[in-house]
Amino acid sequence: SLGILMYSLLNNGRLPFENRRRTLYKAIEMRNSGTKIPIIPGVDIHLMRIILKALEYNKEKRYKSATEMLNDLNKINKVRERKHLIEKT
């Protein structure tokens, strides 16, 4: 799952579930059980929402396509660009 990969990349290789010894397959299985996923300290809340949506147990609440996820990622980028421009002035 892309959500598990993104979470792991932003969390020093740790999977979104408490036991570090879990395999990727086991992490996907845990996600499907509805296990709560801890927020990663220091990660932008908007990016974390995207990751959590990608990890959503209910497939109807997950992204329907990579394009849908990309659109949300682009929105974050645009907001950051605007903030950066405002800070420069």
Side-chain angles (χ1 to χ4, degrees):
S1 153
L2 182 56
I4 291 173
L5 178 63
M6 291 173 72
Y7 186 96
S8 180
L9 287 171
L10 293 170
N11 200 21
N12 298 318
R14 284 179 269 186
L15 295 172
F17 308 98
E18 294 183 43
N19 187 341
R20 290 175 131 194
R21 293 185 180 146
R22 295 200 191 279
T23 63
L24 180 59
Y25 175 79
K26 195 69 171 168
I28 292 168
E29 188 177 284
M30 290 289 292
R31 181 212 56 205
N32 291 339
S33 72
T35 302
K36 294 286 183 193
I37 300 162
I39 301 296
I40 305 167
V43 172
D44 179 271
I45 190 65
H46 302 291
L47 179 57
M48 199 65 221
R49 284 184 186 134
I50 290 171
I51 293 168
L52 293 175
K53 183 173 179 177
L55 289 169
E56 179 61 51
Y57 171 71
N58 182 338
K59 72 177 186 176
E60 297 302 318
K61 293 181 180 180
R62 277 184 251 150
Y63 287 103
K64 307 296 184 265
S65 67
T67 302
E68 185 182 350
M69 180 187 272
L70 181 60
N71 289 338
D72 280 354
L73 289 167
N74 284 333
K75 287 176 192 173
I76 292 173
N77 195 37
K78 286 178 185 175
V79 168
R80 286 183 178 169
E81 286 174 358
R82 277 188 238 131
K83 284 183 181 178
H84 182 70
L85 288 173
I86 291 170
E87 289 171 0
K88 281 183 130 179
T89 58

